[in-house]
């Protein structure tokens, strides 16, 4: 029976080939826009969420007045981390780091890489994994360093990097350890680690301070508590108005790397993708309803010959799902062709296989919605006689409603497209 339904579906697709081509291309383009836009949104909102307990890790900052205006400082004194760990029972761990993009020289070649000064507390909080070597790079004033596997291959290929020399701002360091590669999907994608200083004073704010709250701690209550807390670690020095920001929220709050495209434009891009999907879906359903009306005589004759509602529903569903599968394959081809330019524009460094989940959502949503529409059409159709099925009764009301909806959506689509084009022009 399934083979019979497939044969009928293929014959109808060929019979109405103009409508079929329009439907397939529209659904394929909608699929591409939907998958890429959702991938971009999810990527932008998931920075640093790969860390264990990322939802409990916060950076400590301070609100202060300078030159008559309120500003937020993201660098803190070195002793602050230990003070917070000791005096606030809600804090499970605390550490300092100084992370930045800097220049290093290897064999007379200069490279710009992301570096971080760390200590054992940082290694523990951020679960830095040592692959080979020792921990001498954590000794204060040490002239040894740890690098990632990826950086090692960049500098020396497959050769053993242990003992190799790296010049950091004119000072020679020896590689003593190789650490596991860190995800680039982070505000702190460090590639080289050196020792943190342990002699920082309260009067010098040059470190990023991170804390990790204990499980079950009320984050809002703790944020209020620390903002109202005042302490005087040294004479004539008062520290107050401390704020905390979650690690996963730093992408658009003082990030280490500025996004190529503002987040609001990413939302515009997603809105455009949604409008394309709506246009494609309305267009497809309009064409399908028109085809359904043209086939009313055929369907009525099938009922007279003994076809059940279930068989008619299976017939229509097979034709639709076949159309959708063709559109899905075409859409995947479009994604393959456009993924590289999309990555360059968006800086989304995720494997293409992650789009497959988006495609399943898109296909599943359309199938469920369309099957519901088919069911309603069949219920309406069953209430009519053979003669009334052949006549034109509806006076194209559904087509008029669909046309108006598509017009409204198209106006919104044009607006969003203009905004995105202006953003691209600005970037260029």
């Amino acid at each position: 029976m399934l083979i019979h339904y497939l044969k009928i579906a293929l014959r109808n697709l060929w019979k109405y080939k103009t409508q079929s081509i329009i439907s397939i291309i529209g659904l394929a383009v909608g699929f591409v826009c939907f998958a890429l836009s959702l991938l971009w949104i999810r990527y932008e909102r998931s920075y640093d969420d790969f860390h264990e307990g990322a939802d409990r890790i916060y950076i400590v900052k301070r609100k202060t007045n300078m030159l008559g205006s309120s500003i937020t400082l993201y660098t803190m004194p070195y002793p602050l981390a230990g003070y917070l760990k000791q005096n606030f029972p809600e804090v499970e761990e605390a550490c300092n780091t100084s992370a930045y993009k800097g220049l290093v020289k290897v064999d007379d070649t200069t490279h710009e890489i992301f570096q971080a000064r760390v200590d054992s507390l940082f290694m523990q909080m951020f679960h830095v994994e040592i692959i080979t070597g020792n921990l001498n790079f954590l000794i204060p004033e040490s002239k040894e360093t740890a690098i990632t596997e990826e950086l090692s291959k960049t500098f020396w290929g497959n050769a053993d990097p242990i003992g190799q020399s790296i010049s950091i701002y004119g000072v020679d360091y020896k590689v003593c350890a190789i650490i596991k590669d860190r995800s680039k999907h982070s505000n702190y994608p460090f590639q080289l680690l050196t020792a943190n200083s342990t002699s920082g004073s309260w009067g010098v704010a040059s470190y990023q301070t991170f804390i990790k709250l204990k499980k079950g701690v009320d984050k809002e209550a703790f944020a209020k508590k620390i903002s109202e807390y005042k302490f005087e670690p040294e004479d004539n020095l008062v520290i107050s108005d401390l704020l905390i920001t979650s690690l996963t929220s730093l992408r658009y709050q003082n990030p280490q790397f500025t996004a190529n495209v503002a987040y609001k434009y990413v939302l515009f891009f997603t809105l455009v993708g949604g409008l394309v999907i709506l246009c494609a879906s309305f267009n497809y359903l309009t064409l399908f309803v028109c085809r359904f009306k043209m086939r009313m005589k055929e369907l009525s004759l099938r009922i007279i010959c003994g076809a059940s509602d279930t068989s008619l529903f299976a017939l229509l569903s097979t034709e639709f799902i076949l159309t959708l599968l063709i559109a899905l394959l075409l859409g995947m081809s479009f994604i393959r062709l456009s993924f590289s330019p999309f990555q360059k524009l968006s800086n989304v460094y995720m494997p293409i296989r992650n789009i497959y989940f988006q495609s399943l959502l898109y296909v599943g949503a359309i199938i469920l919605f369309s099957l519901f529409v088919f069911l309603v059409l069949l219920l309406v159709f069953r209430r009519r006689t053979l003669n009334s099925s052949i006549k034109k009764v509806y006076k194209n009301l559904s087509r008029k409603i669909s046309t108006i909806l598509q017009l409204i959506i198209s106006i919104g689509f044009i607006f969003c497209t203009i905004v995105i084009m202006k953003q691209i022009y600005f970037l260029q």
Side-chain angles (χ1 to χ4, degrees):
M1 186 62 69
L2 179 59
I3 296 177
H4 173 68
Y5 290 154
L6 286 173
K7 288 181 179 180
I8 295 176
L10 289 172
R11 289 171 183 170
N12 281 314
L13 288 177
W14 180 252
K15 181 178 180 180
Y16 304 102
K17 49 182 175 292
T18 302
Q19 294 184 4
S20 300
I21 291 174
I22 293 174
S23 299
I24 290 172
I25 294 178
L27 290 170
V29 172
F31 159 68
V32 172
C33 294
F34 176 82
L36 292 180
S37 60
L38 278 193
L39 178 69
W40 198 349
I41 285 287
R42 191 175 69 175
Y43 186 85
E44 291 293 327
R45 296 183 63 86
S46 60
Y47 265 70
D48 286 297
D49 66 353
F50 60 89
H51 293 291
E52 183 178 338
D55 60 324
R56 297 186 287 123
I57 299 177
Y58 293 82
I59 187 172
V60 181
K61 51 189 182 179
R62 182 184 178 192
K63 190 175 182 180
T64 186
N65 291 316
M66 185 176 294
L67 300 178
S69 60
S70 178
I71 62 172
T72 301
L73 301 177
Y74 281 79
T75 54
M76 297 288 117
Y78 184 87
L80 179 62
Y83 184 93
L84 295 176
K85 176 69 166 62
Q86 182 178 357
N87 293 278
F88 289 83
E90 299 92 341
V91 177
E92 180 180 301
E93 300 177 30
C95 71
N96 292 297
T97 185
S98 180
Y100 53 92
K101 290 184 73 173
L103 299 178
V104 302
K105 183 180 288 187
V106 177
D107 298 332
D108 297 326
T109 302
T110 301
H111 306 265
E112 185 180 44
I113 62 173
F114 196 84
Q115 310 171 33
R117 289 188 288 170
V118 301
D119 52 25
S120 58
L121 295 174
F122 180 92
M123 300 283 287
Q124 180 180 350
M125 181 182 294
F126 288 93
H127 302 280
V128 181
E129 182 180 342
I130 302 293
I131 297 177
T132 184
N134 54 61
L135 297 174
N136 290 347
F137 67 95
L138 294 178
I139 301 174
E141 309 302 328
S142 169
K143 292 299 183 289
E144 296 187 75
T145 183
I147 62 175
T148 62
E149 289 180 285
E150 181 184 24
L151 193 62
S152 172
K153 291 180 180 179
T154 300
F155 290 161
W156 300 290
N158 294 323
D160 185 6
I162 303 298
Q164 297 283 359
S165 178
I166 296 179
S167 177
I168 305 176
Y169 291 107
V171 179
D172 289 335
Y173 284 75
K174 296 291 183 181
V175 176
C176 69
I178 301 298
I179 61 175
K180 188 174 181 180
D181 290 332
R182 308 292 293 180
S183 172
K184 294 181 180 179
H185 193 40
S186 170
N187 285 291
Y188 297 92
F190 49 81
Q191 301 168 280
L192 182 148
L193 303 179
T194 55
N196 226 344
S197 172
T198 58
S199 58
S201 66
W202 281 103
V204 179
S206 58
Y207 292 89
Q208 293 117 28
T209 298
F210 290 94
I211 59 174
K212 187 175 185 179
L213 300 182
K214 296 178 180 178
K215 293 181 179 179
V217 171
D218 188 329
K219 301 177 181 61
E220 287 74 18
F222 178 78
K224 182 179 180 181
K225 176 181 178 181
I226 198 173
S227 66
E228 297 174 349
Y229 190 84
K230 295 183 179 181
F231 56 97
E232 302 179 18
E234 294 180 353
D235 292 339
N236 300 321
L237 179 63
V238 178
I239 295 181
S240 61
D241 298 320
L242 294 179
L243 306 171
I244 59 172
T245 298
S246 64
L247 178 64
T248 54
S249 300
L250 284 177
R251 172 60 171 165
Y252 290 93
Q253 297 186 37
N254 193 47
Q256 292 290 334
F257 300 101
T258 304
N260 280 2
V261 180
Y263 186 66
K264 63 180 179 180
Y265 294 111
V266 179
L267 294 178
F268 272 121
F269 179 79
T270 305
L271 180 58
V272 168
L275 292 175
V276 171
I277 292 170
L278 285 176
C279 284
S281 299
F282 277 121
N283 182 66
Y284 175 74
L285 289 176
T286 300
L287 294 176
F288 190 87
V289 170
C290 291
R291 187 186 303 177
F292 184 86
K293 290 180 178 179
M294 288 186 287
R295 296 175 60 189
M296 279 185 175
K297 182 177 180 179
E298 170 202 340
L299 297 176
S300 299
L301 291 174
R302 288 182 179 275
I303 293 175
I304 293 174
C305 294
S308 63
D309 290 346
T310 303
S311 63
L312 290 178
F313 185 76
L315 177 64
L316 295 174
S317 301
T318 302
E319 183 176 333
F320 167 74
I321 292 175
L322 181 61
T323 303
L324 188 60
L325 289 177
I326 297 174
L328 179 62
L329 293 175
L330 183 61
M332 292 302 298
S333 300
F334 289 163
I335 286 180
R336 285 284 183 181
L337 295 174
S338 62
F339 193 66
S340 180
F342 171 76
Q343 282 187 313
K344 292 179 181 179
L345 169 67
S346 63
N347 274 347
V348 174
Y349 298 105
M350 294 180 72
I352 196 170
R353 63 176 179 271
N354 288 3
I355 297 183
Y356 296 157
F357 179 70
Q358 263 69 262
S359 66
L360 291 177
L361 284 178
Y362 175 66
V363 172
I366 290 185
I367 287 178
L368 290 177
F369 179 73
S370 300
L371 291 181
F372 173 76
V373 173
F374 299 162
L375 184 59
V376 172
L377 288 174
L378 283 177
L379 291 176
V380 173
F381 175 73
R382 288 292 289 174
R383 292 178 177 272
R384 308 176 62 190
T385 65
L386 176 60
N387 290 331
S388 63
S389 296
I390 298 174
K391 296 178 182 178
K392 296 181 179 179
V393 177
Y394 286 106
K395 297 181 181 179
N396 297 322
L397 178 61
S398 60
R399 181 180 297 182
K400 292 179 181 178
I401 294 175
S402 178
T403 302
I404 293 173
L405 288 175
Q406 290 189 67
L407 179 61
I408 295 173
I409 294 171
S410 297
I411 293 173
F413 175 78
I414 293 171
F415 170 76
C416 293
T417 302
I418 292 173
V419 172
I420 288 181
M421 292 302 296
K422 285 183 175 292
Q423 172 66 7
I424 293 174
Y425 176 76
F426 175 77
L427 291 174
Q428 293 175 343

